[in-house]
């Protein structure tokens, strides 16, 4: 049975931990508001941009002159998986859910006889995939020094991916990230970005525009930007999801610390009462002996 001093030290230690988790929860809440606003603000622009690309892509579908980013290499032998995770932990199952989805996808490809290459963004996902797929690692992007995500960060990643595609390094590229739904809900998502896959906006009942120059020429210029836009949107969704997951995890940790303090305090009081009772018995017994 722990001594009173041990119980007191444990209570003080848990109280200190609770202060830290509470502070981290408040910081995550403040960061979440900014990250959520950024992710939600980017969605309409991304959706509309993709719709425009989808309209033009449908017009050149099957054409031999279609850009390579749209029609692909014609093969599905080599897959590049871009796994986006956090640089830091203490955010519940945020990193694990992304790594799990990427791991399942990679295992399926390997089982089908495909070659898998992995580009990691954020060290936590890399750490979780290292044991099973270290041999497939083909690059890493460190964003630990980035305080606020910008389009330039996504453009740098997109350039790396596009350069690899132009040199024939892979046939299909897929990004993995968490889509933000709410503080308690983030959805692990796999999205193919090369070859580009866009859905045309059919609400208008058909094409309304004639393009000059041709759709192929415009797509050749816009498709690389489309890759960067999709990566940027994924980074923003991931950032909001990370803070939401961290806020939820720290809230749970704070509550658990409070419950533990309550239990330890009850145990401390009972032990203290037992010590006092024993001392009284000894005093009374000694007085009776006299």
């Amino acid at each position: 049975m722990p001594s009173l001093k041990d119980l007191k030290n444990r209570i003080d230690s848990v109280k200190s931990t609770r202060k830290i988790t509470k502070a981290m929860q408040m910081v995550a809440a403040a960061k979440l508001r900014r990250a959520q606003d950024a992710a939600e603000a980017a969605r309409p622009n991304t959706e509309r941009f993709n719709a425009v690309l989808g309209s033009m892509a449908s017009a050149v579908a099957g054409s031999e002159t279609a850009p390579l980013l749209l029609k692909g290499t014609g093969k599905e032998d080599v897959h590049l998986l871009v796994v986006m995770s956090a640089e830091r932990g203490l955010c519940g199952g945020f990193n694990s859910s992304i790594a799990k989805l990427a791991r399942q996808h990679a295992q399926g490809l390997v089982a089908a006889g495909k070659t898998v290459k992995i580009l990691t963004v954020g060290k936590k996902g890399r750490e979780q995939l290292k044991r099973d797929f270290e041999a497939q690692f083909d690059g890493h992007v460190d964003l630990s020094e980035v305080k606020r995500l910008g389009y330039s960060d996504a453009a740098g990643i997109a350039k790396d991916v596009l350069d690899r595609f132009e040199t024939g390094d892979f046939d299909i590229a897929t990004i993995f990230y968490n889509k933000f739904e709410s503080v308690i809900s983030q959805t692990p998502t796999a999205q193919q970005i090369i070859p580009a896959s866009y859905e045309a906006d059919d609400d208008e009942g058909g094409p309304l525009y004639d393009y000059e120059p041709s759709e192929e020429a415009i797509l050749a210029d816009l498709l690389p930007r489309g890759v960067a836009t999709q990566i940027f949107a994924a980074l923003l969704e991931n950032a909001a999801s990370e803070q939401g997951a961290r806020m939820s995890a720290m809230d749970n940790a704070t509550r658990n610390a409070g419950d533990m303090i309550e239990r330890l305090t009850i145990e401390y009081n009972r032990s203290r009462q037992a010590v006092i009772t024993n001392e009284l018995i000894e005093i009374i017994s000694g007085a009776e002996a006299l």
Side-chain angles (χ1 to χ4, degrees):
M1 182 178 180
S3 66
L4 289 177
K5 183 178 180 181
D6 290 338
L7 288 171
K8 187 69 168 61
N9 289 338
R10 287 185 64 187
I11 291 171
D12 291 341
S13 176
V14 176
K15 283 182 177 179
S16 298
T17 301
R18 183 173 63 174
K19 289 180 180 178
I20 295 172
T21 57
K22 183 64 177 177
M24 292 184 67
Q25 177 190 350
M26 295 175 67
V27 170
K31 290 184 177 181
L32 172 62
R33 284 191 289 270
R34 295 193 298 269
Q36 183 177 353
D37 289 344
E40 291 177 346
R43 287 175 184 173
N45 178 65
T46 303
E47 290 171 359
R48 190 57 190 162
F49 184 72
N50 290 343
V52 172
L53 287 179
S55 178
M56 288 189 288
S58 63
V60 301
S63 171
E64 293 183 0
T65 58
L68 192 62
L69 278 176
L70 184 62
K71 66 181 182 181
T73 62
K75 299 182 295 182
E76 298 182 356
D77 298 333
V78 184
H79 290 251
L80 176 67
L81 311 186
V82 184
V83 183
M84 302 179 180
S85 62
E87 295 288 351
R88 300 172 182 83
L90 298 177
C91 47
F94 170 79
N95 293 305
S96 298
S97 61
I98 298 173
K100 180 181 179 181
L101 180 62
R103 183 181 297 108
Q104 292 173 343
H105 192 84
Q107 288 172 341
L109 291 172
V110 171
K114 309 297 184 183
T115 300
V116 173
K117 298 182 179 182
I118 298 177
L119 172 64
T120 52
V121 181
K123 69 178 182 180
K124 288 302 178 180
R126 186 178 183 85
E127 290 173 357
Q128 295 198 23
L129 293 172
K130 183 176 182 180
R131 185 178 66 178
D132 297 326
F133 296 103
E134 186 174 9
Q136 282 79 21
F137 283 171
D138 197 39
H140 178 66
V141 178
D142 185 356
L143 297 178
S144 59
E145 301 300 323
V146 177
K147 302 302 180 183
R148 190 168 185 176
L149 286 168
Y151 186 80
S152 59
D153 300 308
I157 299 172
K159 184 178 184 305
D160 183 12
V161 173
L162 291 169
D163 288 345
R164 292 166 183 262
F165 183 66
E166 289 177 2
T167 58
D169 195 48
F170 65 88
D171 301 311
I172 296 176
T174 306
I175 57 176
F176 296 83
Y177 63 98
N178 262 327
K179 184 175 182 180
F180 179 80
E181 303 291 347
S182 68
V183 173
I184 60 173
S185 177
Q186 302 87 35
T187 305
T189 303
Q191 179 181 352
Q192 181 178 309
I193 57 173
I194 299 176
S197 177
Y198 299 104
E199 293 183 3
D201 187 355
D202 296 327
D203 293 342
E204 306 292 344
L208 297 178
Y209 307 101
D210 290 327
Y211 295 97
E212 181 65 34
S214 65
E215 286 93 340
E216 290 90 341
I218 296 174
L219 283 170
D221 181 62
L222 289 184
L223 285 172
R225 301 186 192 184
V227 172
T229 298
Q230 289 177 315
I231 290 176
F232 184 46
L235 288 174
L236 293 178
E237 293 285 346
N238 235 22
S241 296
E242 178 188 349
Q243 298 306 329
R246 179 169 289 113
M247 179 181 170
S248 180
M250 291 301 101
D251 178 56
N252 290 334
T254 301
R255 293 174 185 271
N256 290 338
D259 293 341
M260 184 176 291
I261 291 170
E262 185 176 347
R263 291 196 301 269
L264 288 172
T265 301
I266 292 173
E267 185 177 353
Y268 174 82
N269 290 336
R270 286 176 178 172
S271 298
R272 185 168 177 270
Q273 185 63 46
V275 170
I276 293 173
T277 300
N278 289 333
E279 289 178 351
L280 288 174
I281 291 173
E282 290 176 359
I283 292 172
I284 294 171
S285 298
E288 288 178 352
L290 293 174

